[in-house]
Amino acid sequence: MALYKTQTLKIHNSLTGKKEEFTPLHEGHVGMYVCGPTVYSNVHLGNCRTFMSFDLIFRYLLHLGYKVRYVRNITDAGHLEDDADQGEDKISKKARLEKIEPMEVVQRYTVDFHNTLQKFNLLPPSIEPTATGHIVEQIEIIKVIMDKGYAYEKNGSVYFDVVKFNEDYQYGKLSGRKLEDMIANTRELAAQDEKNNPQDFALWKRAEPQHIMRWPSPWGEGFPGWHLECTVMSTKYLGETFDIHGGGMDLKFPHHECEIAQAEASNDKSPVRYWLHANMLTLNGKKMAKSTGNNLLPNEIFSGENTLLSKAFAPTVVRFFMMQAHYTSILDLSDEALLAAEKGYHRLMDAMELLHNLPTGVTSGFDLGAWRQRCYDAMNDDFNAPVLIAQLFEAVKAIHLIREGKQEITAADLEGLSETLHGFVFDVLGLERAHRESGESEKLDGTLELLVELRNRARTDKDYATADRIRDALNDLGIQIKDGKDGTTFSY
RNA sequence: GGCAUCGUGGCCGAGUGGCUAGGCACAGCUCUGCAAAAGCUUGUACAGCGGUUCGAAUCCGCUCGAUGCCUCCA
């Protein structure tokens, strides 16, 4: 029997502001859409946190036995020109100056995006559609919205008529805004543009001569509006109404609000049953953003080449760090926090290793069933990974007690413990054992084993000067010697 | 200015109307030739001020502060 039949999952729905019991539209199947990246520069760590949050959600849904269709788009159209001008990103600017094809920029950063997410051990989505691959569908939906009277054309551009829409529907229900308030607030700074109202947004934009990405349409050459692709691709692959729509908190308004408006205007149906918003990752207390320069690239963390951190951190350690915070909370990145997470990560992984040769007995002092359910309870409560991790450390404590002979566990329970632990640590949280780069390390390891052997011989001979010299010299090189009960190991 | 979220022990970070996660650091202990590593043990915190209540850090109000959105942004 699928786990979802016995586990009651509750999800915080941004639309209602409440935790609601999750029941998919079609039993056993879940449709999930997440707004993906705009590929005009390298993904920064903040982007990664959002996608990682939804990776956790995807993984847990799979773990519960749901068949999940997970759609995450790639935005590769529309705003390349503007961003190259405004942003600090030198590569895309250079690409433009050298008249490199825009799709070359897209390709480069799409590859970077995939590489980076793979390092963080994110599962690929079921479908990863691109905006440029759905121009036709976008044009079609614009026609529908125009036919229904919720859009108007001006000089080759088409705008969504928010005021008209608001007469029949409710604009702003996701972000808790009222159109009247918005109009009152923006009246003075209304830009002199073609829109009837500042709140209106573009469905199709006329391409100016210098705009490099352009497609023919009934309204002339142009490109699709910023919010349209998500409406088109989500409903195309998941249906007019689907279960979960996710994205970063910063997309709640206006992006997701506009998506709702577009979908309702064209299908007359609320498109999404559960809206989920992942919160921001901050750096020095401020949001990480490409545009402000307050950002850190994943590779800069993995290599240690940055000015903010004292050392390099493995991708899985960064993942563990992020999993220790709930996805709806703001998380502030710092060297101290990462260092603490790294130690905790090792403690967890070391305990997983101990699992292999633990003594078993005739009774269990460890209540496996109750503990396992506490793990599920944590995840069932809006994917609360931090609480799950707390439970995992309860198991770590038990493992040590059993190892020291202070507690007993039956063979069957040990197997269950091991299985559950592996399931949550590797399948649900998506953690991995951090491994060193192979190749050179084989030689190094052999050399170290020899040094350890020589040192231990010196210790037996009470030649502590030699023993300590080896230990201290290695330590200066960043290699730590660890004398344990069962022999000496090292780490670097 | 408007809307939203948040303010937890040295740090990070959960949670809850009464039964007080977890990680890291610190301290003590065990182990060790000495260390380190590892393991064990210990922490009554919830921005401030009022109110509701038998009881609030958890609910309500106000104040202060932080962050996000209101323009592309995960």
Side-chain angles (χ1 to χ4, degrees), chain A residues 129-189:
Chain A
T130 60
T132 56
H134 297 75
I135 300 292
V136 174
E137 289 91 335
Q138 296 186 70
I139 289 172
E140 288 307 308
I141 201 172
I142 293 170
K143 287 184 192 164
V144 173
I145 296 172
M146 286 180 92
D147 285 349
K148 298 208 174 173
Y150 296 114
Y152 55 91
E153 195 239 323
K154 279 262 178 83
N155 306 322
S157 292
V158 181
Y159 296 98
F160 189 94
D161 191 338
V162 173
V163 175
K164 177 78 196 317
F165 174 80
N166 196 239
E167 288 170 9
D168 305 327
Y169 298 88
Q170 189 196 346
Y171 183 78
K173 61 185 173 188
L174 179 65
S175 54
R177 285 161 214 247
K178 289 196 176 70
L179 188 59
E180 308 86 73
D181 297 346
M182 291 166 62
I183 291 170
N185 284 321
T186 50
R187 188 161 290 156
E188 300 104 49
L189 34 126

Side-chain angles (χ1 to χ4, degrees), chain A residues 32-37 51-52 55 70-74 113-114 117 122-130 233:
Chain A
M32 175 161 95
Y33 186 89
V34 171
C35 291
F51 299 127
M52 209 182 277
D55 184 59
Y70 174 24
V71 181
R72 188 185 62 208
N73 68 298
I74 295 272
F113 175 65
H114 286 151
L117 294 197
L122 270 77
L123 297 173
S126 326
I127 303 177
E128 193 168 45
T130 60
M233 299 190 281

Side-chain angles (χ1 to χ4, degrees), chain A residues 288-300:
Chain A
M288 253 192 220
K290 291 170 191 173
S291 52
T292 59
N294 186 238
N295 68 352
L296 197 57
L297 297 176
N299 279 331
E300 294 173 337

Side-chain angles (χ1 to χ4, degrees), chain A residues 334-404:
Chain A
S334 67
D335 191 46
E336 258 191 329
L338 236 28
L339 246 16
E342 187 176 51
K343 293 208 173 165
Y345 164 83
H346 281 123
R347 190 167 135 82
L348 178 62
M349 287 301 163
D350 290 349
M352 299 281 290
E353 286 297 323
L354 293 175
L355 231 33
H356 297 305
N357 38 14
L358 229 43
T360 55
V362 286
T363 58
S364 276
F366 181 74
D367 190 340
L368 177 67
W371 169 77
R372 179 157 47 200
Q373 191 51 48
R374 283 199 299 275
C375 291
Y376 279 105
D377 289 346
M379 286 305 287
N380 290 341
D381 184 16
D382 197 26
F383 311 100
N384 199 325
V387 171
L388 168 65
I389 289 172
Q391 289 305 323
L392 298 181
F393 277 103
E394 292 302 318
V396 169
K397 189 179 277 185
I399 288 169
H400 289 304
L401 285 175
I402 293 163
R403 180 165 168 262
E404 287 162 22

